[in-house]
Amino acid sequence: MYATWFYDSIPLANLLGCLAIVSYILTLLPTSLRIVFPALKKAKFPIKLLKYRRQLGILAFILALGHAWLLIAKRNFDFFDLTTYRVYVHGSATFIIFTLLTVTSNDWCVKKMKKNWRQLHQLTYVAMFLLFWHINDKMSGHWNFMTPLVVIGMATMIILFLRRRWLERQTKKSPKVKEQKSIEPLSD
């Protein structure tokens, strides 16, 4: 009975999309947690997530691919119509980013691309904002019971990311501030 209710209340394409987002959030979580909450650096959960980050990212891509495939089949998209791309710009851009990240998520690409690999994988943060836009745009007006959880999860990741960036900037600025303060008394 529960399985029937669950299946009827959430289409498979949406379920795959939600699972893709959960997997994606798990790839973003360890770094942000370790920087925003330094006490968690040695906690087992972020360490395990960090260890399996690539696999979780590939899983997120596979689930997103299933999500996209089912929706394309269901809605019979016309790929030669520019309106399709305008309507789904956020989903398409996110999928392209996920594809690039998945294709380069191997040791060979890390070695060959060097610094460029790291720069390319910074696109994951662009995808985070695009994905949040995609969820809010496409699910507005017809939420299911999983939508608020996904929205809260993505909003939390964005807040953690912004806090992380702010802390990283403060850390970069603080040596200069300390250096200036130590120089000022000597100049008097």
Side-chain angles (χ1 to χ4, degrees):
M1 181 175 148
Y2 179 75
T4 305
W5 171 81
F6 182 80
Y7 183 74
D8 290 341
S9 66
I10 183 167
L12 182 59
N14 290 5
L15 179 63
L16 290 175
C18 289
L19 292 173
I21 292 168
V22 169
S23 297
Y24 176 63
I25 287 171
L26 292 175
T27 66
L28 297 172
L29 204 53
T31 305
S32 293
L33 283 178
R34 295 174 83 190
I35 293 171
V36 175
F37 304 107
L40 293 176
K41 277 188 179 182
K42 295 184 181 182
K44 289 182 181 183
F45 183 65
I47 291 172
K48 288 284 186 190
L49 288 177
L50 201 55
K51 183 178 179 181
Y52 296 107
R53 179 185 286 184
R54 283 187 195 174
Q55 291 88 341
L56 287 167
I58 292 168
L59 176 63
F61 171 76
I62 292 168
L63 292 167
L65 179 63
H67 168 74
W69 182 266
L70 288 173
L71 287 176
I72 288 169
K74 178 181 176 185
R75 296 188 180 149
N76 201 10
F77 288 128
D78 180 7
F79 288 102
F80 297 107
D81 183 10
L82 292 178
T83 307
T84 300
Y85 296 101
R86 185 180 52 79
V87 171
Y88 294 99
V89 66
H90 36 66
S92 300
T94 304
F95 189 75
I96 290 168
I97 291 171
F98 278 179
T99 302
L100 290 171
L101 298 180
T102 301
V103 168
T104 59
S105 286
N106 56 65
D107 292 335
W108 184 81
C109 285
V110 173
K111 287 178 188 174
K112 291 292 180 187
M113 294 176 71
K114 299 179 183 173
K115 284 184 181 179
N116 295 329
W117 184 87
R118 186 168 173 82
Q119 289 176 338
L120 176 67
H121 279 256
Q122 292 295 310
L123 284 175
T124 193
Y125 302 112
V126 174
M128 177 177 57
F129 288 99
L130 287 170
L131 195 53
F132 188 71
W133 177 24
H134 177 69
I135 296 163
N136 286 313
D137 184 46
K138 296 302 164 209
M139 293 304 292
S140 64
H142 50 279
W143 282 24
N144 57 47
F145 70 94
M146 290 182 73
T147 309
L149 300 174
V150 172
V151 169
I152 290 168
M154 285 302 298
T156 302
M157 285 314 306
I158 289 171
I159 291 167
L160 281 173
F161 170 74
L162 295 173
R163 176 73 175 150
R164 172 185 152 198
R165 288 294 193 206
W166 184 80
L167 287 170
E168 289 170 342
R169 279 189 170 207
Q170 295 301 344
T171 304
K172 286 181 182 178
K173 287 181 181 180
S174 63
K176 292 177 185 177
V177 172
K178 289 178 184 176
E179 195 175 293
Q180 288 175 351
K181 287 181 180 178
S182 64
I183 292 172
E184 289 176 4
L186 295 175
S187 63
D188 283 343

